[in-house]
Amino acid sequence: MSELTVTLLRFGFLLLLWVLIFSIVSAMRRDLVIGTKARTGTPSARQARKHPELVDSPPPARQQAHRLVVTEGPLAGTTMDLGSSPILLGRAQEATLVLEDDYASGRHARLFPQGSRWFIEDLGSTNGTYLADQQLTRALPVELGAPIRIGKTVIELRP
C-alpha cells in the first residue's frame, strides 16, 4: 500500500473513533435529561414566577416506613420490621423475604433505603416487578401504602 492510503486509513479510523465518542456522550446526555424529566419536586424558576404559592408553601411532612407487610399471596399477613439494610425479595433461600411464589425469580427484586425514603428495583426477573400497576424499568421510590406486586404476592410499606 502506498503511504497516502495508509494515512487516509489512519484518518478514517481516527474519525470513526471520534464519531463513537460523540455518540456515547450524546446517549449519556439523553439519559440524564430523561432522568431529570422523570423527577418531581422543586419547581423551576419559570414555574416559581407564574405560581409563587408553589415555592412559599413548605412540603408536607412525610411519614417514614417502619414495616413491610405482605397483603396478598401465599405469605399474606407476614410483617417484617425495616431497618437500614436492603431487603432482597425472591425465592432463593438467601433472600431476606423468601417468597413462596411460582412467578417470583430466585433474586427477584431489591428494596433499599436511601436517605429517608425506600426504593424498589427489579433485579432482572423473568416476570417483572410492579409498583402500583407500573412495571419497573429502574429503581423507583416507594410511597407508604403503594402496592408492590411480585407474581401473586403483593407487599406494602407501612408506618
Side-chain angles (χ1 to χ4, degrees):
M1 284 198 279
S2 71
E3 190 175 323
L4 178 63
T5 306
V6 172
T7 304
L8 287 175
L9 285 174
R10 285 183 182 169
F11 280 121
F13 182 69
L14 186 63
L15 179 67
L16 185 63
L17 284 176
W18 277 108
V19 168
L20 177 67
I21 289 170
F22 282 125
S23 66
I24 290 171
V25 169
S26 68
M28 289 175 64
R29 288 187 70 216
R30 189 171 46 247
D31 288 347
L32 289 173
V33 168
I34 289 171
T36 57
K37 285 182 182 175
R39 283 191 215 134
T40 59
T42 59
S44 66
R46 189 179 325 154
Q47 287 175 326
R49 276 183 259 128
K50 287 183 182 177
H51 304 285
E53 68 276 3
L54 292 177
V55 176
D56 296 334
S57 62
R62 179 177 304 192
Q63 284 187 318
Q64 295 211 1
H66 296 290
R67 289 184 303 138
L68 175 73
V69 179
V70 180
T71 58
E72 293 178 32
L75 298 175
T78 303
T79 62
M80 174 183 271
D81 289 332
L82 299 174
S84 60
S85 58
I87 296 174
L88 179 63
L89 306 165
R91 288 191 337 198
Q93 292 303 312
E94 68 267 8
T96 312
L97 180 61
V98 179
L99 302 176
E100 299 167 5
D101 192 326
D102 293 336
Y103 296 99
S105 298
R107 293 174 47 88
H108 195 98
R110 182 175 75 116
L111 193 62
F112 62 96
Q114 193 168 31
S116 63
R117 302 184 79 180
W118 283 84
F119 287 76
I120 183 81
E121 73 174 330
D122 187 82
L123 298 176
S125 65
T126 305
N127 294 318
T129 304
Y130 294 84
L131 176 61
D133 296 328
Q134 176 187 1
Q135 187 170 7
L136 296 179
T137 56
R138 57 185 166 81
L140 290 177
V142 181
E143 300 299 327
L144 290 176
I148 300 167
R149 179 174 296 278
I150 297 174
K152 294 179 182 177
T153 304
V154 177
I155 60 176
E156 293 179 2
L157 296 181
R158 301 271 172 90

